Every structure is written in C-alpha cells, then in structure tokens.
Amino acid sequence: MVTTETALKDAMTSIEGVIGVALVDYSSGMALGTLGGGKDLDLTVAAAGNTDVVRAKMRTMEMLNLKEGIEDILITLGTQYHLIRPVTGRAGKGLFLYLCLDRARANLAMARHQLKRVEGDLDV
C-alpha cells in the first residue's frame, strides 16, 4: 500500500503522456493531492468540475437501479484524454483518481491498466 503522494508520483512517471493527476473527494470536490498540470490545466478546477461528472453518473446509476460500480469514466477531447477512476475499498469511499493525458503521446489502454494498478496500491 502506498500513500497519496507516492501514488500520484507513480502515475506521473509510469503512465506515458500524463499531463496531470489528482486524488479528489467527490463529496466536497476538493483535491486531496495533485501533481502536474500547469497554465493549460488547473487541476483544482478540473477536480471540482469532474466531481459533478462523477455525481451525475452515480445518480443516474441509482435511478436505473444499477448495482455495479463504475470502473472508469473516459472523456475524449481533441488533444486530450481525461480519465476518472473511483477508488474502491472502504478507505477510498467517496474518492476518485483523475488523470489527464496528452492524446498524441498516450496509449489509452495502457493508461487505464496502469491507473487501475495505481488505484489498487493506494492506501488513503
């Protein structure tokens, strides 16, 4: 099990094409940790905005009476992939990992695989 800081560093170094990564509390929209980003990607704003995405999907699943959990949510832009992965396990309830990738440099399948590994190792 690894800490938030270690998990975010792992995502930044092991996933090709990462622009930024954050661990977010979707009950408050606050980022518990961020790494990367920059003038073109404000991770604090992204954390709050993607909280709305997660909440909307959770409400929709509840209305549809779907019992399975979300594995990940993918948002595809012209030059970027945005990947949202809820943290599983009791300690991670209400948290998600947010990953922004440069579409030209990233391998989406590998990024999903690596983010799943990072999420599995995370100890909050």
Side-chain angles (χ1 to χ4, degrees):
M1 294 296 195
V2 299
T3 65
T4 298
E5 183 180 336
T6 303
L8 297 178
K9 285 180 183 175
D10 184 15
M12 285 294 294
T13 59
S14 70
I15 302 174
E16 187 70 28
V18 174
I19 298 169
V21 62
L23 178 65
V24 184
D25 175 354
Y26 67 77
S27 62
S28 68
M30 300 294 292
L32 304 178
T34 63
L35 199 57
K39 67 179 180 70
D40 294 330
L41 178 64
D42 183 332
L43 287 168
T44 305
V45 172
N50 284 301
T51 294
D52 292 336
V53 172
V54 172
R55 287 179 188 160
K57 188 59 189 172
M58 295 289 199
R59 279 192 309 272
T60 302
M61 289 177 60
E62 188 176 312
M63 289 186 293
L64 294 171
N65 203 29
L66 297 174
K67 301 299 181 197
E68 55 194 295
I70 297 170
E71 184 171 342
D72 58 36
I73 298 169
L74 171 65
I75 300 167
T76 304
L77 305 177
T79 60
Q80 297 175 348
Y81 293 122
H82 293 235
L83 196 54
I84 299 166
R85 183 175 184 88
V87 177
T88 57
R90 211 175 55 230
K93 184 99 171 117
L95 304 177
F96 67 88
L97 284 164
Y98 165 73
L99 185 70
C100 180
L101 300 161
D102 177 339
R103 193 169 164 173
R105 296 185 306 123
N107 177 323
L108 183 57
M110 284 302 295
R112 289 182 70 221
H113 178 73
Q114 290 292 86
L115 191 59
K116 180 179 181 178
R117 181 191 52 76
V118 168
E119 182 263 326
D121 291 343
L122 182 63
D123 184 23
V124 184

